[in-house]
Amino acid sequence: MTQKMAITLDVNGTGHEIRVEPRKTLCDALRADCGLTGTNVGCEHGVCGACTVLMDGVPVRSCLMFAVQAQGKALRTVEGLSTGGKLHALQQAFTDNHALQCGFCTSGFLMLAAGTLEQQPDIDDESLREVLSSNLCRCTGYQNILRAVRQVRDAGKAGAR
Amino acid sequence: MKPPAFAYHDPQTVEEACQLMSTLDNARLLAGGQSMMPMLNMRFVMPDHLVDLGRVSALSAIEERPGALRIGAMTRQRDLEYSPLVRARCPLLADAIQWVGHRQTRNRGTIGGSLCQLDPSAELPSVCAALDATLTVQSARGTRTLAFADFPAGYMTPSIEPDELLTHVELPDWPAGHGHGFVEFARRHGDYAVVLAAALLAVDAAGRITRASVTLGGIGPAPVRVGAVEQALVGQVASATLFRGATEACRSIEAMEDVHAPASYRQQLAVVMSRRALEAALASIGSPASSTGAAAH
């Protein structure tokens, strides 16, 4: 046990003042200290992508960084996708296309897709496939996940939150 | 799967970081964390102190120097991927960066971290070997530069002292319009390569090769420059037949053996990958960087 550090995490536009050991990973701090349990912790070594969040607009694996490193960064998690009780276009498309079964990988896929479509709204099919290949879905829903994200890309709704 | 306890340090300058590394016992540097964090989570490394370079902004820059591109050690792989300067001045790096991990890991991973991790199957060390890069390391004792050829001391072991840190790498220019090719074979895209190859070619007006560089990763404990192939190419007119003959020399390179592939398989891959890298290099002559080698997965 080392001395806890007082930090502020900016998550979905809200400041969370928390005290954490420096060894606490960002995903654990989000879940245990900020109470945002939508981000899932999978492999804890950067392979599965379940813990993907957006940091300053780009997808990162939150198990591969410490919470203390995220100070001063704008974080976005799956809790920040829907607005006013209305699902984000990606969430709706995942639902409509049966792009989840157990749901464990879903928040990671959603944040990866959200960050990707915001950066590259016109990403081509092959690149999209490659981007999504970084995350694991063990219910093997890949085709439906691809279909859902393509649908949102084609509808140009990525920016609509 | 939780990291061990350590004291955290986040210096703002290279000098502060060097000072910390010279005074602290059992301290490790943290760059982008995409290899270090798994090693911490699995407790393969147990440092008493972790010195995070994430706030040392002076280490993140891509700068043009006479005859070379200078890249700060903490430059994110993502910034290399999207840099017009890298594409224009060092297209081999632009080719290779597409193969490094995944989008999320490139957003955090750094060039310096990858070089110091020195995985034999990683892309960036092989790019540095292919280009005869020069590395600069700094400590409280001073600054020194070394050729990439002298950088690996052994398997995943760079020849830098525990109190030293890599500050930047210089990638020498090749002539405008030179050929560049980078291919790799991995079980899945984004995985470390089983074998990868990087090739550079300069040709004269008659199509005769004036300079060649061929590098293999994933076959030995560190990137291997295949001098025998390079020598067989220089002075000859570039062609698929020439490449096919010359790359046979890769079959006799001493190869690693592990759970992923026996040595003979890697030697076969070395022949095929080096040939494909050369073919990609030849096809690219006169044109800017493109993603090459998509056939390998």
Side-chain angles (χ1 to χ4, degrees):
Chain A
M1 178 95 175
T2 47
Q3 187 100 36
K4 287 189 176 178
M5 293 172 67
I7 58 167
T8 304
L9 291 185
D10 169 6
V11 192
N12 304 321
T14 304
H16 293 260
E17 288 179 23
I18 59 173
R19 290 176 59 78
V20 292
E21 275 191 84
R23 66 171 173 150
K24 185 166 261 185
T25 56
L26 176 58
C27 56
D28 281 342
L30 286 170
R31 291 175 58 86
D33 299 278
C34 302
L36 298 169
T37 53
T39 301
N40 282 331
V41 182
C43 70
E44 293 187 276
H45 63 289
V47 170
C48 76
C51 66
T52 300
V53 300
L54 300 185
M55 185 168 76
D56 291 341
V58 300
V60 299
R61 290 176 165 165
S62 61
C63 74
L64 292 190
M65 60 181 293
F66 295 110
V68 292
Q69 295 181 290
Q71 238 203 146
K73 314 275 190 189
L75 299 166
R76 281 167 58 201
T77 64
V78 70
E79 288 90 347
L81 281 184
S82 66
T83 41
K86 186 171 179 294
L87 292 181
H88 184 280
L90 280 164
Q91 292 172 308
Q92 190 60 53
F94 268 56
T95 308
D96 295 343
N97 289 281
H98 193 60
L100 65 150
Q101 288 183 45
C102 84
F104 194 86
C105 69
T106 307
S107 48
F109 268 109
L110 284 169
M111 298 319 288
L112 174 62
T116 301
L117 289 183
E118 285 169 19
Q119 278 182 297
Q120 284 174 274
D122 56 352
I123 187 168
D124 63 55
D125 284 357
E126 196 192 339
S127 306
L128 190 58
R129 199 181 176 84
E130 189 190 310
V131 166
L132 294 176
S133 76
S134 71
N135 284 25
L136 299 182
C137 164
R138 293 289 88 147
C139 306
T140 70
Y142 294 111
Q143 295 306 327
N144 289 347
I145 292 167
L146 268 168
R147 191 172 299 130
V149 180
R150 277 201 304 260
Q151 184 182 311
V152 175
R153 176 203 59 193
D154 294 343
K157 285 182 190 162
R161 296 185 51 205
Chain B
M1 288 298 286
K2 303 296 176 192
F6 53 79
Y8 177 73
H9 307 267
D10 58 342
Q12 313 280 315
T13 66
V14 177
E15 289 69 28
E16 268 179 77
C18 289
Q19 199 54 44
L20 286 166
M21 294 307 285
S22 74
T23 51
L24 300 173
D25 282 333
N26 190 24
R28 290 294 295 258
L29 290 164
L30 180 62
Q34 302 303 287
S35 298
M36 180 59 100
M37 289 288 304
M39 283 166 37
L40 285 165
N41 287 356
M42 292 188 244
R43 304 206 175 188
F44 291 154
V45 286
M46 305 271 282
D48 291 316
H49 299 272
L50 205 57
V51 178
D52 181 5
L53 297 175
R55 295 181 203 276
V56 184
S57 52
L59 290 178
S60 305
I62 305 172
E63 297 167 284
E64 289 192 279
R65 291 291 156 111
L69 200 58
R70 184 180 135 140
I71 301 174
M74 281 298 289
T75 306
R76 307 277 171 192
Q77 290 154 7
R78 163 199 163 76
D79 294 323
L80 299 174
E81 185 177 356
Y82 289 99
S83 163
L85 209 50
V86 167
R87 195 151 282 273
R89 290 281 294 266
C90 192
L92 181 70
L93 176 56
D95 292 343
I97 203 79
Q98 320 279 340
W99 293 93
V100 179
H102 297 287
R103 179 169 290 223
Q104 296 112 309
T105 61
R106 291 197 295 272
N107 282 334
R108 291 290 297 161
T110 63
I111 186 170
S114 175
L115 294 179
C116 291
Q117 179 73 8
L118 206 58
D119 191 297
S121 296
E123 292 80 5
L124 299 179
S126 281
V127 168
C128 287
L131 288 161
D132 296 309
T134 305
L135 309 181
T136 302
V137 298
Q138 192 172 331
S139 71
R141 296 174 287 121
T143 298
R144 66 187 176 105
T145 60
L146 66 167
F148 184 82
D150 299 325
F151 188 61
Y155 177 73
M156 295 184 80
T157 310
S159 54
I160 52 178
E161 300 300 322
D163 66 334
E164 288 181 319
L165 66 97
L166 177 66
T167 56
H168 57 267
V169 51
E170 284 204 4
L171 304 174
D173 289 338
W174 270 56
H178 70 273
H180 48 90
F182 190 97
V183 298
E184 74 177 48
F185 180 82
R187 297 293 297 271
R188 294 166 302 191
H189 187 83
D191 283 5
Y192 278 113
V194 179
V195 170
L196 63 81
L200 292 159
L201 287 176
V203 298
D204 64 16
R208 210 169 286 279
I209 296 169
T210 55
R211 195 177 160 197
S213 165
V214 177
T215 304
L216 290 166
I219 190 157
V224 178
R225 275 286 289 272
V226 199
V229 176
E230 295 173 5
Q231 283 153 26
L233 295 176
V234 172
Q236 308 294 317
V237 175
S239 73
T241 316
L242 174 70
F243 297 158
R244 190 170 287 276
T247 52
E248 275 302 316
C250 297
R251 205 178 295 280
S252 54
I253 296 171
E254 196 178 330
M256 297 188 296
E257 202 152 54
D258 62 15
V259 64
H260 301 294
S264 59
Y265 185 82
R266 284 195 156 85
Q267 288 164 330
Q268 167 66 19
L269 274 178
V271 173
V272 175
M273 291 294 120
S274 56
R275 174 168 49 86
R276 287 188 189 168
L278 283 165
E279 287 167 356
L282 181 60
S284 75
I285 283 178
S287 65
S290 57
S291 16
T292 53
H297 66 283

